[in-house]
Structure formats: structure tokens, C-alpha cells
Amino acid sequence: MPPIVPATDGIDPNALRVLITGFGPFGKYVENPSWLAVKPLHNTILYKDPPAELLVPSDQAAIITDEMEEFLRRPQQIHITVLEIPVSYQAVLNTVPGLHARPPVIPRPTDPNFALPMPPANGYDFIFHVGVAGRGPLRIERIGHKNGYRMKDADGEYAPIVHLPKDTIGSDAEAELARMERMFALGPSGSADVPGMTPGAAEVVDIPPAPNRGFGKGYETFPDELQTDVDVPKLIVHLKESGIDQVYSSMDAGHFLCDFMFYCSLAEARRHITPQEKFKERNSPTKCTPVLFMHCPPVDQPLSTEQVTDAIQRIVLWVCGRFHQS
């Protein structure tokens, strides 16, 4: 992988713009492994080779001057901006919609070392989220989930309660099944068979189910699952051919902050487009920004921070390299 090149001379107006997010501190992680891997890439430049089809002469092609040919052969810049996001449901809801606005609305970093350059007026070309999981390979997620978030975030808060449409038939059947189970457990006397308990003294207490939590107001029209437009299986093949063996794809992002972030970002990317529009049409005000989420392991379990950073660079180059493909 080429060395990381700082963007010292401003941003080329023709550069592809990429936003990469990592998570903030959580639990035992004073500095989140995802942020450790992401932050070296802030305000750096990668170079993407020009697409081969632009360099092959065609009988139908317009006359190309020497100046135009030189421009076409020039590697295109990919400028990377990184952002740390707190491990908080509310922080995701407050931040992610702005990342997809045109122009994007980005919160001001608390660390002056991560001052943000001016966001692109037409939005980022690619938004890549990274979070930490357990020990093991890199895990590139394919699906984000709308509901089913039961765990507390770093602030000790839950995801918002969402009232789902009631399934009357299903609810009645479940209620009857629960009543029969209690009856069998309590026996004909109406009490559990517990030594020392007077028959009939037991009181049946119904424990209400935990409320559903996830995405409610503003996300009603989105489906229960959203899938990334990035061709993850092909990306996995590319990474393995590049020597990154510790990687696989996943259909379950975990129903915690990573999954919550992924679904929110996928939904916001689709909010202003029609199903017929494709993300590959760059510089269009109605493009759907490709969104990807990758789980990385804790440091050296088994991958080092440097290895994760290298994988992130390779993924950015591969995704950006496909913008000109049909």
C-alpha cells in the first residue's frame, strides 16, 4: 500500500471526497480501536488510476487533444476526511442525517488536530463507517436493521421506543398460549407446586414484553432492513486477492450502535432519491451515496491497527475505482 499522503496544498476540486467515521470511547476502550485505525487517514490523499475505458481510443470517440489526454491519464485524487462519533444512539441520530445533506453538516471536532476541511457542496462520494467487534477477522456488513435494539449505549441510554403496528391475530394467539402455559405451571389449584404455599394463594403476574426500540419518527417509510449498494462479495474477493485473508462478509451487524449507525446512514443516503437512481452517477445532485460498514477487532486480536488502516485504504480505492463502471 502506498504511504499516507497529507493534503497540504488544499483539495483538488476534481477530487473524490470520502468521509470515514470511527467510534469514540466505550467500556474498556479508552480509545476505540475503530478510531485508532481511522484517524491516521484524516485529511490525506489517495490516488486512483484512471479507468481503462477512458484511455482506449475509439472510432466513435471525439478528438482528444494532448492536454485532454494528459488530464485523463492523471491519477485522480481521493481526499479523506475522518470523524469520531460518540457511542450513543442520540449522537447517531443527531449526526448521521447531516453527513448526507448537500452540503453536508458536520459537527465541530473537539480535538483541533482533526479540524475539518470544507465539505463538498454536492455531498460526499463515499461514506464508510468503522466500528469495533470481538476478536477475529474484519467483518464487512451487508445489511442494517431498523428495529430490535435492546442494549444501552455508552451514556446508559436506550434507543428510542418504536410502536409497531399491532398484529391482532398473532397477539391473541400468543396471549392464549401464555395463559395455557401459566395454567399448566400452576395446576388445577391455581398455585404453583411450591412447598409451604397455600393452594390458591399464588398470584399470576404478567410481565409485559420489552418495548421495541429502533427507528421511529422520520423513518416510517423505510423497510425493516436496508442493504448496502456496494458489491460486498466482489469486494471480499478483491481484498483476499490483495493479500488480506482475515476478512469476511456478514448479514448481521449486531443490533447495537454499529448496526444503528449503518441503518441510519443507509436510510439517509436513500432519503432523497428514487429507486431507479443509481449511486454510480457521480456529481449528480440526486446521487445515492454508497455507504459501507466494517467491524474491526480489538488491537492485535489478531490484526494490528496498521493492518486495519491498510484494509480501509484498499476498500476506499476499490469502491472509488468503480464509480466509472456501468
Side-chain angles (χ1 to χ4, degrees):
M1 198 70 203
I4 296 173
V5 180
T8 56
D9 299 324
I11 301 174
D12 185 332
N14 295 310
L16 291 166
R17 299 291 300 275
V18 174
L19 177 68
I20 307 178
T21 72
F23 278 110
F26 176 68
K28 63 182 180 181
Y29 300 118
V30 177
E31 195 164 17
N32 198 300
S34 65
W35 179 241
L36 288 172
V38 163
K39 69 178 185 178
L41 297 173
H42 182 58
N43 203 27
T44 61
I45 299 290
L46 298 178
Y47 289 92
K48 178 176 77 71
D49 290 334
E53 62 268 22
L54 293 183
L55 304 180
V56 177
S58 170
D59 294 339
Q60 289 76 35
I63 296 175
I64 300 178
T65 65
D66 291 344
E67 184 178 352
M68 292 170 62
E69 185 174 359
E70 182 183 355
F71 174 79
L72 289 174
R73 291 184 180 276
R74 188 182 308 159
Q76 185 173 22
Q77 286 191 7
I78 303 171
H79 181 275
I80 297 176
T81 299
V82 305
L83 180 67
E84 183 181 35
I85 296 181
V87 183
S88 157
Y89 294 110
Q90 195 58 52
V92 169
L93 293 173
N94 290 345
T95 304
V96 172
L99 306 184
H100 291 272
R102 296 183 175 89
V105 179
I106 312 293
R108 185 186 299 274
T110 56
D111 188 340
N113 293 321
F114 293 93
L116 298 173
M118 183 69 69
N122 285 334
Y124 289 100
D125 293 287
F126 174 35
I127 294 182
F128 187 11
H129 305 291
V130 183
V132 66
R135 177 184 180 86
L138 299 170
R139 199 172 84 203
I140 300 178
E141 304 297 341
R142 298 175 64 178
I143 293 176
H145 300 89
K146 185 175 185 178
N147 296 298
Y149 294 88
R150 300 178 179 179
M151 292 182 280
K152 292 182 180 180
D153 61 21
D155 296 331
E157 301 292 336
Y158 289 104
I161 293 176
V162 179
H163 299 286
L164 299 176
K166 187 175 181 180
D167 180 356
T168 304
I169 296 177
S171 298
D172 290 346
E174 290 173 4
E176 178 63 16
L177 180 61
R179 186 188 69 78
M180 293 177 65
E181 288 176 346
R182 288 198 301 272
M183 202 169 78
F184 281 119
L186 295 173
S189 66
S191 62
D193 186 14
V194 180
M197 178 178 286
T198 304
E203 183 178 349
V204 176
V205 178
D206 285 331
I207 301 175
N212 177 68
R213 296 178 182 274
F215 293 87
K217 186 176 180 180
Y219 296 88
E220 297 91 342
T221 61
F222 292 100
D224 289 341
E225 295 180 347
L226 286 173
Q227 185 165 333
T228 179
D229 289 322
V230 176
D231 192 335
V232 174
K234 286 186 178 179
L235 172 57
I236 297 293
V237 170
H238 168 75
L239 292 173
K240 288 183 177 293
E241 289 176 347
S242 302
I244 300 176
D245 295 323
Q246 297 280 339
V247 62
Y248 70 100
S249 66
S250 164
M251 302 291 281
D252 184 1
H255 287 83
F256 190 41
L257 258 298
C258 294
D259 205 343
F260 197 78
M261 167 87 82
F262 192 27
Y263 184 92
C264 188
S265 196
L266 289 169
E268 294 300 332
R270 288 158 171 73
R271 189 176 292 280
H272 302 295
I273 67 161
T274 65
Q276 290 74 30
E277 291 170 325
K278 296 182 179 180
F279 76 85
K280 296 173 185 176
E281 295 301 324
R282 182 173 177 265
N283 290 332
S284 166
T286 57
K287 71 170 184 175
C288 176
T289 304
V291 173
L292 197 62
F293 194 102
M294 183 179 77
H295 276 107
C296 69
V299 178
D300 295 328
Q301 296 187 30
L303 301 174
S304 67
T305 295
E306 291 74 19
Q307 288 176 304
V308 178
T309 302
D310 175 69
I312 292 171
Q313 290 179 276
R314 293 179 186 275
I315 291 168
V316 169
L317 283 169
W318 187 86
V319 172
C320 290
R322 296 176 67 81
F323 286 138
H324 294 288
Q325 297 182 19
S326 59

